[in-house]
Amino acid sequence: GARPSVALLGAQSAGKDPDIILQQGYAIVRSGGKVLRDAAAVTAGERIEAQLSRGALRAKVEETLPNG
């Protein structure tokens, strides 16, 4: 399995259970191993990974929508 990221560890220390957040349908999206918080941080063609409650997805960005 994947190692917990700094963001997940931070969520745990802040009293937020990342597993519960993921079970609600949210995903943790990373690019180059770093958690993404801004669509403008990636460009079309880049590969990203989304961690879900069960498993993960690898995808290629087709388009970024910074205000979407």
Side-chain angles (χ1 to χ4, degrees):
R3 292 179 291 162
S5 70
V6 173
L8 288 176
L9 294 174
Q12 288 172 336
S13 66
K16 300 174 188 171
D17 185 345
D19 289 330
I20 291 174
I21 293 168
L22 293 173
Q23 289 172 12
Q24 292 175 348
Y26 292 95
I28 298 170
V29 181
R30 294 181 184 86
S31 175
K34 295 182 181 180
V35 175
L36 288 175
R37 292 180 178 82
D38 185 348
V42 295
T43 58
E46 284 190 57
R47 296 205 174 266
I48 58 172
E49 183 173 302
Q51 179 182 341
L52 308 174
S53 178
R54 282 193 234 158
L57 304 171
R58 288 193 180 135
K60 188 187 326 183
V61 175
E62 291 184 2
E63 180 181 8
T64 59
L65 305 169
N67 298 320

